[in-house]
Amino acid sequence: TAKALGLDKAMGRVGGKGKSSMSGLAGSIKGLIGPLALAAAAMKAFQFASESVQVARKFESLTNAINFASGGLEEGAKNMEFLRERSELLGSDLLASTEGFKTLSASMIGSNLEGQATRDIFDGVQVAATAMGLSSEDAKGTFLALGQIMGKGKVQAEELRGQIGERIPSAFNIAARAMGVTTAELNKMMETGNLLAEDFLPKFS
C-alpha cells in the first residue's frame, strides 16, 4: 500500500543516515589510530631512553667502585672485561654480576685474596649459582654474605647457615666437604672461631 511504501522509504532514509553516521565514526576512529600509535611509540621510546640512562649511570657507579676496589684503572678494567666475558658465557645478568663482584672485591682489599684470587672465588660461586638456577637476587645475596664473611675474617653460622644456606642448597655440607671435615667438626670450628675466611673462601668457591 502507499502507507507501507512510505514507511519503507522512511526506514531506508533512517538506515542510510545510520550507515553514514557509522561510516563517519569509523573514519574518525581510523583517523585517531595513527596519532595514538605514534604517541604510544613515543612513550615507549621515552621510557626505554630513561631506563637506558639509569642503567648507564648504574654501570658508571659500579665501574668506579670496582676500579677503587681493584686498586686502579688497569686492574679495574681487567675485572670489568672478566665480568663481561663470564656473563656472556654463562648467560647471567651483567648488572647483577657486577654488583655482586663489587661487594666481594671491596671486602678483599688489603687481604691475600685480591686480584686473581677474587676473580676465582667469584667465578666458582657464579658458575654454581648458574648451574643451580639461582636468581640474580639470590646470587647477589650470596656474594653479600661472602663479603661479610671476609669482612669479619671468620666464618660464622649467621652467614653460612643463614644467608648462604637459604640460597644455596646444602651449603653447609658443601662447606664441610670443601674443608675436608665433617659437619660436626665444621660447626665446632665456627664456634671456636677457627674457620678463617682467607682459608675458607677459595676452598668453598
Side-chain angles (χ1 to χ4, degrees), residues 45-113:
F46 175 76
Q47 291 174 343
F48 177 77
S50 298
E51 291 172 358
S52 296
V53 169
Q54 291 175 0
V55 170
R57 287 175 177 171
K58 184 69 173 178
F59 263 117
E60 182 180 4
S61 175
L62 287 170
T63 300
N64 290 336
I66 287 177
N67 287 339
F68 174 77
S70 302
L73 295 176
E74 184 177 349
E75 191 67 17
K78 185 185 297 184
N79 284 329
M80 290 302 298
E81 182 61 26
F82 160 76
L83 290 170
R84 290 189 187 94
E85 290 178 354
R86 299 307 288 170
S87 292
E88 182 177 347
L89 179 65
L90 297 173
S92 56
D93 182 81
L94 179 57
L95 182 59
S97 295
T98 306
E99 289 178 337
F101 187 83
K102 179 201 73 171
T103 300
L104 186 64
S105 60
S107 70
M108 301 295 185
I109 296 175
S111 74
N112 294 325
L113 299 178

Side-chain angles (χ1 to χ4, degrees), residues 129-161:
T130 302
M132 293 177 181
L134 267 62
S135 67
S136 296
E137 288 303 312
D138 280 342
K140 284 166 55 179
T142 300
F143 287 119
L144 176 61
L146 294 177
Q148 290 173 346
I149 287 174
M150 192 64 198
K152 294 177 179 179
K154 298 177 181 179
V155 183
Q156 296 181 346
E158 178 185 353
E159 287 83 23
L160 184 54
R161 286 188 179 277

